[in-house]
Amino acid sequence: MDLNFTPGEQAFREEVRAFLERHLTPPMRRAVLEGLHVPPEETVAWQRLLHAHGWGGPNWPTEFGGTGWDPVRQYLFEEACAAAGAPRLLPFGLKMVGPVIMRFGSDAQQRRFLPRILSGEDWWCQGYSEPEAGSDLASLRTRADRRGDHYLVNGQKAWITLAQHADWIFCLVRTDQASKPQAGISFLLIDMKSPGVTVRPIIMLDGGHEVNEVWFEDVAVPAENLVGEENKGWTQAKFLLGHERANIAGIGSSKRELERLKRIAAAELKHGRPLAEDPFFAARLAQVEIDLMALEITNLRVLSAEAERRTPGPEASLLKIKGTEIQQALTELMMQAVGPYALPFRVEALDGAFAGEPVGPAHAAPLAATYCNMRKASIYGGSNEIQKNIIAQLILGL
Amino acid sequence: MHFNLTEEQRALAETVQRFLAQQYGFEARRTILRSAEGWSRETWGKLAELGLLALQIPPEHGGMAPAAIETMVTLDAMGRALLVEPYLSSAILGSALVGALGSPAQREALLPAMAEGRRVVVPAAGEAGARYDLSRVATTARRGGAGWVLAGRKAVVLHAPAADLLLVSARTAGAVDDAAGISLFAVPARSPGVRLVPYPLIDGQRAADVILADVALGADALLGAEGSALPALEAAWDLGVAALCAEAVGVLQATLDATTEYTRTRKQFGVPIARFQVLQHRMADMLMHLEQARSMSYLAAMVATADDLKDRRRKLSAAKVVVGQACRFVGQQAVQLHGGMGVTEELPVSHCFKRLLAIEASLGDTEHHLERFIMEGR
Ligand SMILES: Cc1cc2nc3c(=O)[nH]c(=O)nc-3n(C[C@H](O)[C@H](O)[C@H](O)COP(=O)(O)OP(=O)(O)OC[C@H]3O[C@@H](n4cnc5c(N)ncnc54)[C@H](O)[C@@H]3O)c2cc1C
């Protein structure tokens, strides 16, 4: 056993850091480091910049234009990007539909779709959930009926993250009404510009617009947009969910947020002394830092097992639960750190370009909104209750 | 010992609940929140008609104080309805301060008007860097002109945009964190030199930072004796903590009710999700938090104005700790059990969640009261 990164891995990390130092401009970093809104154009611009450097697919094999990095290098890359305040890369193309197309897609689909994900030309969104099919995904009802060379799609998807910017949506649809729930599902790629697709915003509790309903009304989808075999979509869905959870521990971003919390605690005062020196607060901060330290090693254990076995196992559920608990605890402590100034809620102050009159310290402006928003983390991507069911069934065999 | 309400108290509770259920539903409240002022003068007028703005005001000024239980049942009902009007700030804290510090003339000028809903009077005590310490005051008041000149900045003044009059704590002597040397001034919100930076809080209630740029006041602006306002501020805050605990219990009850109701009707895997034992246990935990909070809100109501300072403070801080933890747990779990619907603004649950969050961080957060509990026990 050796918990140190190899000299090669350390050199790699230095290379990534040097790259970030050179290419991430201070305005690009600022939004992420200060917890402000990152405009969608910035996310795309960052994908393009990475692509120009040959790093557009950090988790992709070289045969599809990716970097070919092993899980440890992927992790080091993500960690360095998060620490530097790089915009988060969109997972929908890179980590979700991309791997599915590589594994199950036709040559034509691979040639058509994969390069445009790397280059940032196509923005993808994930169309799995429906109003009546959340945790019980297999009960989904959006239907696709074969009509010659195309499918006719009807139904409604819900909670679709950033669908308002998306060019494409990958959907689970029911192609066989008669068979058992998991059996009649297919994986279909749908152009968001198709006639009959409607996107309606769902406003979140922090006032933000990041999720949407997507409605399909007699949408004609070419049959060539089916990925893999008809009625075998559940296999692909499970494959994808494993990948979706693989980096869900969010160690890199939690480390960055921990540093932000420490900066805030050093700047805030309690009884005229820095809050960081307050024993009550210091103990709570230390607890999160310790939890994160443990999770980082657990994460590396899972990654190195993954490097050997190649597909992420049910251990990813553990990472998801602990990772989101830590993310949420950090937002809670940041809010608590600023006392009464946590409560003012000015949406406009979350925009990096905000030039209005500040109230309270600048670091306080986004904290309440972020705390509220991050409640989503234990709900999406398979709720934490569902993840515990997976641990109980698949790891413990109960 | 008993925990029963009198006939009159029960009738009052029912009246307030019925009024709010009829006139202050989820949609009506939303409309109020979205209005320019962010509160309803009409509702305020009705609260006055029901006598609810007079609960902290002595009978000689048109009120019915002392009314600890009446205040508790009123705030419980307001909590259930997520009332956003300046009740805590004006009808509780404002009334208590004017009552405690005002001269007979000041009381006569203000209290009847407050009871009738004609004047909104809110304290402006917080400052940047002070967190929840009432004694850390950098705003100054010096003698000048016909009376006093105030300079400084007050932070996160709840309902300041709604206020006719601000009760500003300012230092007339001593160092920034001295307990002595703090005085209270009645500052008309539209005085020259007073500027508000208004904003909504996370729960939708309105507040402002109040900037005082050499505000000239008459000699009669001082409330109480010069330099000795802190005990009255602390007493008002203790009363406020009791009120906030009662309000929290109302919100917690509404939050738990919404969650049991939702999980009974929401189906996944072919059954109502309330059938899943892990969720049943979660809701059992929520109920236990609620009941512990309710017990402490009773204790808080009973000791809110007690004379034994140490005992009063310890008990009120204990209550705020139990209630604050309940706010945290019940709020978070209610959202969690609603799944995606919990993080939208569409259902009452997220609005309850945000009010619970604000309550936890008002008049001293859990950590502040934990510390005060320890200190007062020494
Ligand atoms: C911000 C956000 C972004 C999202 N983005 C996307 C997206 O881009 N694409 C997409 O397809 N979906 C997305 N989702 C949907 C997400 O995957 C679902 O919300 C999630 O699966 C939960 O489903 P639900 O909301 O219907 O809650 P429900 O399934 O109704 O769950 C409600 C509660 O019941 C619990 N529960 C359910 N079943 C069980 C059980 N068997 N045992 C114990 N407890 C149980 C849950 O844990 C939860 O606490 C997003 C959701 C959110 C909140």
Side-chain angles (χ1 to χ4, degrees):
Chain A
M1 187 176 315
D2 182 356
L3 294 186
N4 296 305
F5 293 113
T6 64
E9 286 162 352
Q10 291 177 36
F12 169 78
R13 177 156 64 184
E14 288 316 312
E15 184 191 348
V16 175
R17 284 182 181 158
F19 171 82
L20 293 167
E21 205 47 59
R22 230 174 315 126
H23 293 284
L24 253 193
T25 62
M28 279 173 109
R29 292 166 192 256
R30 195 185 140 231
V32 175
L33 294 179
E34 296 179 14
L36 304 175
H37 285 159
V38 178
E41 314 81 71
E42 295 275 306
T43 303
V44 173
W46 181 236
Q47 175 69 39
R48 295 204 164 147
L49 205 151
L50 287 176
H51 179 56
H53 190 74
W55 287 359
N59 59 323
W60 285 19
T62 46
E63 56 175 312
F64 295 111
T67 55
W69 291 332
D70 62 17
V72 173
R73 279 182 166 70
Q74 291 173 36
Y75 167 75
L76 291 172
F77 178 76
E78 285 215 355
E79 189 194 31
C81 287
R88 193 178 73 110
L89 293 178
L90 288 174
F92 313 108
L94 284 176
K95 290 189 178 166
M96 297 182 184
V97 75
V100 168
I101 293 175
M102 287 175 216
R103 174 87 167 69
F104 301 98
S106 65
D107 286 349
Q109 286 170 337
Q110 291 173 352
R111 277 196 308 274
R112 177 174 175 200
F113 292 110
L114 296 179
R116 297 174 62 87
I117 293 174
L118 288 180
S119 64
E121 278 162 287
D122 285 344
W123 184 304
W124 283 85
C125 63
Q126 179 189 23
Y128 275 25
S129 308
E130 299 180 4
E132 302 304 323
S135 297
D136 182 13
L137 185 57
S139 69
L140 63 92
R141 286 202 297 239
T142 296
R143 58 189 294 162
D145 299 295
R146 187 72 186 248
R147 296 276 187 277
D149 63 350
H150 67 271
Y151 290 95
L152 210 54
V153 179
N154 280 288
Q156 181 198 354
K157 294 290 175 184
W159 314 112
I160 312 306
T161 300
L162 302 178
Q164 71 267 38
H165 307 303
D167 304 295
W168 285 84
I169 182 169
F170 57 94
C171 285
L172 291 181
V173 292
R174 192 159 292 289
T175 35
D176 180 354
Q177 309 298 326
S179 58
K180 288 220 179 81
Q182 277 96 335
I185 292 173
S186 299
F187 195 102
L188 202 58
L189 312 178
I190 304 177
D191 187 338
M192 291 292 282
K193 287 181 291 295
S194 314
V197 176
T198 312
V199 178
R200 293 194 192 138
I202 300 173
I203 301 304
M204 300 259 293
L205 76 173
D206 61 352
H209 172 198
E210 62 181 82
V211 287
N212 305 271
E213 297 174 351
V214 178
W215 296 71
F216 302 95
E217 210 180 328
D218 286 336
V219 177
V221 179
E224 69 202 37
N225 289 6
L226 177 76
V227 179
E229 279 178 58
E230 199 177 77
N231 299 332
K232 290 279 156 48
W234 194 249
T235 315
Q236 296 148 30
K238 280 198 298 191
F239 170 84
L240 183 156
L241 282 176
H243 275 265
E244 181 186 357
R245 285 172 197 152
N247 281 304
I248 206 143
I251 304 288
S253 60
S254 284
K255 281 183 167 180
R256 179 190 67 223
E257 296 304 295
L258 179 70
E259 290 311 309
R260 176 151 72 110
L261 172 60
K262 287 181 176 175
R263 286 197 301 275
I264 293 172
E268 288 288 330
L269 298 175
K270 180 174 173 184
H271 308 319
R273 311 266 324 138
L275 179 65
E277 295 170 14
D278 176 67
F280 288 89
F281 196 83
R284 292 192 61 192
L285 195 153
Q287 186 63 58
V288 184
E289 184 164 7
I290 291 164
D291 286 345
L292 180 55
M293 194 181 277
L295 186 63
E296 181 175 16
I297 299 177
T298 306
N299 190 42
L300 291 170
R301 281 172 55 207
V302 174
L303 286 184
S304 81
E306 191 186 318
E308 285 149 29
R309 254 188 300 136
R310 299 205 55 86
T311 40
E315 295 82 2
S317 292
L318 188 164
L319 300 179
K320 200 267 172 172
I321 296 168
K322 291 308 284 180
T324 53
E325 284 174 357
I326 289 170
Q327 287 159 26
Q328 291 177 335
L330 285 165
T331 65
E332 190 171 324
L333 280 180
M334 275 190 239
M335 230 194 121
Q336 199 192 328
V338 299
Y341 268 124
L343 294 181
F345 175 62
R346 302 197 301 166
V347 187
E348 60 282 9
L350 304 186
D351 184 338
F354 174 69
E357 183 163 359
V359 294
H363 61 229
L367 301 182
T370 309
Y371 170 77
C372 289
N373 184 276
M374 279 308 285
R375 299 317 304 169
K376 70 188 177 188
S378 48
I379 295 170
Y380 64 29
S383 74
N384 285 12
E385 286 78 16
I386 295 297
Q387 304 294 348
K388 285 185 187 171
N389 287 348
I390 293 173
I391 292 176
Q393 286 157 23
L394 299 184
I395 302 184
L396 295 172
L398 300 174
Chain B
M1 166 177 314
H2 72 91
F3 291 93
N4 304 324
L5 300 180
T6 64
E7 206 53 56
E8 291 79 19
Q9 288 163 346
R10 207 162 327 127
L12 175 71
E14 276 165 24
T15 308
V16 185
Q17 277 176 25
R18 196 170 335 110
F19 162 66
L20 291 172
Q22 281 166 4
Q23 316 241 344
Y24 211 85
F26 185 58
E27 285 309 321
R29 175 179 176 274
R30 259 194 198 204
T31 308
I32 294 170
L33 277 181
R34 288 181 183 145
S35 68
E37 284 200 300
W39 65 295
S40 159
R41 288 180 190 275
E42 193 192 330
T43 302
W44 195 244
K46 298 219 177 94
L47 296 178
E49 276 170 35
L50 290 172
L52 301 177
L53 302 186
L55 293 181
Q56 312 307 321
I57 292 173
E60 64 268 29
H61 298 293
M64 54 185 288
I69 307 288
E70 287 75 7
T71 305
M72 184 181 82
V73 299
T74 299
L75 275 142
D76 180 303
M78 290 176 171
R80 285 173 205 237
L82 297 174
L83 191 90
V84 298
E85 279 61 30
Y87 195 83
L88 176 74
S89 47
S90 183
I92 305 276
L93 301 175
S95 305
L97 284 169
V98 174
L101 292 175
S103 65
Q106 287 167 327
R107 289 154 56 122
E108 193 44 42
L110 293 173
L111 293 176
M114 291 170 76
E116 289 162 24
R118 289 183 285 112
R119 300 265 266 176
V120 173
V121 179
V122 311
E127 294 193 3
R131 292 181 85 74
Y132 304 104
D133 293 344
L134 288 167
S135 58
R136 188 168 287 275
V137 177
T139 297
T140 57
R142 56 186 162 79
R143 289 185 185 278
W148 299 93
V149 179
L150 267 61
R153 180 177 183 133
K154 290 295 180 179
V156 199
V157 180
L158 187 62
H159 293 124
D164 303 295
L165 195 68
L166 301 161
L167 304 177
V168 177
S169 64
R171 191 159 282 292
T172 42
V176 69
D177 56 351
D178 281 353
I182 297 167
S183 307
L184 198 69
F185 294 90
V187 182
R190 283 153 204 65
S191 311
V194 175
R195 189 165 68 84
L196 265 53
V197 186
Y199 42 79
L201 302 181
I202 188 69
D203 62 349
Q205 301 203 12
R206 304 297 174 95
D209 274 19
V210 177
I211 298 161
L212 304 152
D214 290 333
V215 179
L217 301 169
D220 59 351
L222 177 68
L223 279 127
E226 181 183 338
S228 53
L230 187 62
L233 275 166
E234 288 182 334
W237 253 238
D238 280 351
L239 195 66
V241 165
L244 213 44
C245 288
E247 186 197 342
V249 169
V251 186
L252 289 165
Q253 182 74 61
T255 311
L256 180 57
D257 290 348
T259 308
T260 52
E261 172 68 22
Y262 186 80
T263 55
R264 275 203 196 96
T265 44
R266 170 70 174 168
K267 283 191 178 164
Q268 287 290 277
F269 303 99
V271 295
I273 58 175
R275 292 272 184 84
F276 299 125
Q277 203 162 41
V278 66
L279 301 192
Q280 291 176 358
H281 284 196
R282 200 78 57 79
M283 289 184 274
D285 287 334
M286 291 164 76
L287 174 93
M288 291 193 283
H289 270 287
L290 163 62
E291 291 306 330
Q292 291 281 79
R294 195 191 308 279
S295 298
M296 291 309 261
S297 96
Y298 291 168
L299 177 66
M302 299 321 291
V303 302
T305 55
D307 293 330
D308 180 346
L309 265 193
K310 229 177 171 40
D311 185 60
R312 181 180 93 199
R313 288 185 186 161
R314 248 170 90 76
K315 285 178 174 158
L316 285 166
S317 282
K320 189 67 169 45
V321 168
V322 171
V323 165
Q325 289 167 343
C327 288
R328 187 66 65 175
F329 183 83
V330 173
Q332 292 181 346
Q333 296 307 326
V335 167
Q336 181 70 21
L337 267 50
H338 277 74
M341 286 309 296
V343 292
T344 70
E345 56 138 43
E346 282 169 38
L347 296 184
V349 65
S350 64
H351 299 256
C352 291
F353 169 80
K354 291 189 280 185
R355 181 63 196 142
L356 291 171
L357 182 62
I359 289 176
E360 209 261 5
S362 297
L363 304 184
D365 64 4
T366 301
E367 208 173 85
H368 171 88
H369 283 287
L370 202 54
E371 189 181 27
R372 195 175 83 151
F373 180 83
I374 295 169
M375 293 308 183
E376 294 292 343
R378 290 214 168 124

